[in-house]
Amino acid sequence: MNFEFTEEQLMIQQTARDFAEAEIAPTAIERDKEAKFPTEIVKKLGELGFMGMMVSPEYDGAGMDTVSYCLAMIEISKVDASVGVIMSVNNSLVCFGIEKWGSDYIKETYLKPLARGEKLGAFALSEPEAGSDATQQKTYAVKEGDYWVLNGIKNWTTNGQTADYYVVMAQTDPEKRHKGITAFLIEKGWEGFEHGAKEDKLGIRSSDTCSLMFTNVKVPEQNVIWEVGKGFNFAMNTLNGGRYGIASQALGIAEASLDASVKYSRQRKAFGTEIFNLQAIQFKLSDMAVKTEAAKLLTLQAASLKDAGKNYIKEASMAKLYASRVAVENALDAIQIHGGYGYVREYHVERFLRDAKITEIYEGTSEIQKLIIARELIR
Ligand code: CAA
C-alpha cells in the first residue's frame, strides 16, 4: 500500500478542509440544536463536485478515486457529521450502486443529476421488521402490465424527506427469499408515496431521517435498477461500498475529538500547569491518537483495495467496525478531558459523542460487521 497521497488527493483534502471550516463549522452547533437540514451547504457541496465524487465524468461525476472521497468525508465530518452522512448516502449508497449496476436508462436519467448535486438520493432497505435481518423484506411489488405496483413501509431513511430519488428494495417473489428481492428507483411526488415525520434523534440531528410509505405506487418497468431478483445482491454490494464512507465519517469525529482535546488541554490550567503536561491527560491523548491512526489505515486500506479493483468486503467492514468504535471512545475521552465544559454544547465534544454513536448502528451494526468479517475469513 502506498502511504503517500498524490497531489490530487492532497488538493481534494485541502479543498474539503477549507470548505468545512469556512462554510460548515460556523453553523454546526445551531443546526444541531434546531435539527435544521443544511440545504445551502449541500447545494455548495454539489457545486464542488462532492456529491458525485467517484462517479465518472461520463455521468457528470467528478471521477475521483475512493481514497480522495474518504479524505474529503473525513474533513467534512470533522466539523459536522450530519453533513457527512448526507454526502455519504448520496455518493456511496446511491450513486455508486447505480453507476456500477444500474441500467443505461437509470444512469442517463437519474445518475447524472445526482452526480451533479442537483438532485439528492436516499437508500431504503430497512423496515420496521427488517433491520439487521435485511432479507425479511415485507415491502413488495407486483407486476401489472408495464408497471410494478409497490406497497410497504421503509424505516430510518437518511435524506428521507429531502431526497428527490429513492433506491428502494422490495420483495417481488417471496418464495425465493433474498433471491426474490428487486431494487427500484422511485421519484419523490409519485402518487401513493409519502414520508413520515422527521425522527427526533440523539445525534446527526441536522440530517433528516424518516419512514417512507408506499401505497399502490405505480413504478414503470424501466425503473428496475438492475435485474429483477438481484435487489438484495445490489443492496449488499452497495453497502460494502458505503462502509468505508461511514468509517471515514467516524474518523472525522475521532480526529475532531482528538484535535479539540489537544487544543483544550494546552489552554486549561490545573495543579499549576497546562493540563496537557499531566500524565493522566497525556496517556488519554496518546491512546486517542494511536487508535485514530489505526482506524485511518484500515479505512484507507479498504479504499485503496477498491481503487485497485480488488475485493474489499472484509476490509470495509473492519474499517467501519473499528473506526466507529474509536469515534465513540475518542468522543467520550474528549468529554472527560474537557470536564464540565465537555458536557455543554459550546465546546462541540458532546455533539461528537451523540453523532459518533450512530456510526456503530447504521449501514450495518457493529455486530453485523463482525458477522461479515467472520464469514469472509473462511471464504
Ligand atoms: N457483500 C455481498 N454479498 C453479501 C454480503 C456482503 N457483505 N453479505 C451477504 N451477502 C449475500 C450472500 O452472499 C447471499 O447471496 P447468495 O445467496 O447469492 O450467495 C445473500 O447476501 C444472503 O446472505 P446470507 O444467506 O448469508 O443471509 P443472512 O440473512 O444470513 O445474512 C446479512 C445477511 C449479511 C446479515 C445482511 O442481511 C446484512 O448485511 N444485514 C445488515 C443490513 C444493513 O447494513 N442495513 C443498513 C441499511 S442502510 C442504512 O443504514 C440507512 C441509511 O440511510 C444510512
Side-chain angles (χ1 to χ4, degrees), residues 195-346:
H195 60 69
K198 187 170 174 172
E199 301 289 352
D200 190 8
K201 305 188 298 274
L202 174 73
I204 56 162
R205 289 179 53 76
S206 87
S207 69
D208 100 71
T209 309
C210 68
S211 303
L212 308 176
M213 284 82 78
F214 303 97
T215 311
N216 293 325
V217 177
K218 280 175 81 179
V219 185
E221 196 172 356
Q222 61 196 5
N223 280 51
V224 170
I225 295 177
W226 194 13
E227 290 167 38
V228 171
K230 292 245 182 157
F232 195 74
N233 203 318
F234 171 83
M236 289 298 105
N237 283 297
T238 299
L239 279 164
N240 292 331
R243 283 166 186 153
Y244 48 73
I246 298 304
S248 305
Q249 183 201 23
L251 249 170
I253 302 170
E255 278 191 14
S257 301
L258 174 61
D259 290 356
S261 300
V262 171
K263 187 173 168 207
Y264 181 79
S265 68
R266 302 202 63 195
Q267 291 166 350
R268 174 76 177 169
K269 291 206 171 71
F271 306 103
T273 182
E274 292 171 4
I275 63 169
F276 178 84
N277 295 323
L278 304 175
Q279 278 193 345
I281 303 295
Q282 288 183 343
F283 287 1
K284 267 201 188 344
L285 292 173
S286 300
D287 283 344
M288 289 165 83
V290 173
K291 289 189 286 188
T292 305
E293 205 59 29
K296 189 179 244 172
L297 290 173
L298 277 175
T299 305
L300 294 177
Q301 173 184 237
S304 301
L305 285 170
K306 177 164 173 281
D307 285 336
K310 302 206 169 128
N311 187 327
Y312 60 93
I313 296 178
K314 182 177 82 215
E315 288 75 11
S317 282
M318 285 178 166
K320 183 186 182 284
L321 173 68
Y322 188 66
S324 59
R325 187 192 302 160
V326 173
V328 172
E329 290 174 358
N330 275 14
L332 274 170
D333 280 342
I335 293 175
Q336 196 67 17
I337 289 169
H338 282 71
Y341 293 103
Y343 207 64
V344 294
R345 281 187 196 269
E346 192 190 339

Side-chain angles (χ1 to χ4, degrees), residues 21-91:
E21 282 168 8
E23 308 265 351
I24 306 178
T27 45
I29 289 179
E30 179 195 321
R31 274 194 314 279
D32 170 72
K33 208 185 276 180
E34 295 169 9
K36 190 169 154 206
F37 189 85
T39 310
E40 275 308 303
I41 290 169
V42 172
K43 192 163 161 255
K44 286 181 185 168
L45 283 172
E47 287 160 10
L48 282 174
F50 280 10
M51 294 305 278
M53 287 188 77
M54 295 168 291
V55 176
S56 69
E58 185 189 348
Y59 294 107
D60 294 350
M64 299 172 196
D65 61 11
T66 314
V67 169
S68 302
Y69 166 65
C70 290
L71 293 175
M73 268 298 296
I74 293 168
E75 295 304 321
I76 302 293
S77 303
K78 224 168 151 171
V79 301
D80 190 346
S82 290
V83 177
V85 74
I86 296 163
M87 179 176 148
S88 177
V89 165
N90 202 70
N91 276 281

